[in-house]
């Protein structure tokens, strides 16, 4: 029986309750509180690191969400800017086209006149009606003397057209008509070519 008692005493001594009791007995008073404080500090540090990791995850996911939104916003803004630029260029092109068409129509109206002096008067009238729509030199560049008078034939273009009509109707008399024209208007050198052709 002595053996059984010893065995029982040994088992009790080695049991976890007895080990805690021995370690508690071996520790000085307040050591348990110190261990609890260290454990609390350790857990607090782990929780802070977890919080830090969670914050980083939140920032990364927020940035991952914001980048596509920013790209979409920039794309939208550039699309609007490009459309505005195209609209502006198209408007400028239409304005230039309208100005060119207006100037061509004005020139067509002016050039429909056969008499050079009347032509200049018509150009001056158009310039007076539309002072800002026609070029400044629209009238001043034209001098009727360059298109009528002795060096171009007296009377302008009308008599010359009549001469050619008569010469076409009477080709056998074209040389005589040209000689007569040359005597009446000695400054017209084109008549000499008609004399040489017939």
């Amino acid at each position: 029986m002595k053996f059984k008692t010893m065995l029982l005493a040994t088992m009790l001594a080695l049991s976890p309750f007895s080990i805690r009791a021995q370690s508690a007995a071996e520790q000085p008073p307040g050591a348990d509180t110190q261990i609890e404080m260290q454990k609390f500090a350790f857990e607090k540090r782990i929780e802070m690191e977890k919080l830090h990791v969670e914050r980083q995850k939140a920032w990364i996911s927020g940035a991952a969400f914001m980048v596509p939104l920013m790209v979409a916003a920039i794309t939208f803004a550039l699309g609007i800017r490009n459309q505005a630029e195209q609209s502006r260029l198209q408007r400028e092109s239409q304005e230039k086209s309208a100005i060119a068409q207006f100037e061509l129509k004005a020139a067509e109206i002016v050039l429909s006149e056969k008499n050079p002096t009347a032509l200049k008067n018509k150009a001056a009238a158009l310039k007076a009606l539309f002072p800002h729509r026609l070029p400044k030199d629209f009238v001043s560049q034209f001098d009727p003397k360059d298109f009528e008078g002795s060096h171009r034939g007296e009377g302008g273009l009308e008599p010359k057209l009549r001469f050619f009509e008569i010469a076409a109707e009477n080709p056998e008399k074209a040389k005589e008509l040209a000689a007569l024209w040359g005597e009446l208007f000695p400054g017209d050198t084109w008549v000499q070519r008609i004399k040489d052709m017939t």
Side-chain angles (χ1 to χ4, degrees), residues 174-176 178-179 189-198:
K175 195 170 191 174
E176 287 179 52
T189 57
W190 60 270
V191 178
Q192 186 61 39
R193 285 182 276 168
I194 302 259
K195 286 182 194 175
D196 296 339
M197 288 172 58
T198 55

Side-chain angles (χ1 to χ4, degrees), residues 160-171:
K160 292 176 188 174
L161 290 174
R162 184 71 183 129
F163 169 81
F164 283 110
E165 289 173 2
I166 294 171
E169 292 172 6
N170 305 306

Side-chain angles (χ1 to χ4, degrees), residues 34 94 111-112 120 148 169:
Q34 188 179 9
Q94 287 174 345
L111 293 176
S112 68
K120 182 163 184 165
E148 64 181 14
E169 292 172 6

Side-chain angles (χ1 to χ4, degrees), residues 27-40:
Q27 291 180 355
D32 196 28
T33 316
Q34 188 179 9
I35 290 172
E36 288 296 323
M37 292 293 284
Q38 288 175 351
K39 183 179 171 184
F40 177 74

Side-chain angles (χ1 to χ4, degrees), residues 85-132:
E85 184 69 18
Q86 286 177 349
S87 175
R88 184 186 62 81
L89 290 174
Q90 186 177 11
R91 189 173 50 253
E92 286 176 2
S93 173
Q94 287 174 345
E95 288 173 1
K96 287 178 183 179
S97 176
I99 290 170
Q101 286 177 356
F102 181 81
E103 289 175 356
L104 285 173
K105 189 63 179 174
E108 182 182 319
I109 290 169
V110 168
L111 293 176
S112 68
E113 189 64 49
K114 293 181 181 176
N115 184 330
T117 304
L119 191 142
K120 182 163 184 165
N121 291 340
K122 204 178 248 189
L126 280 173
K127 180 65 178 163
L129 287 173
F130 305 105
H132 300 293

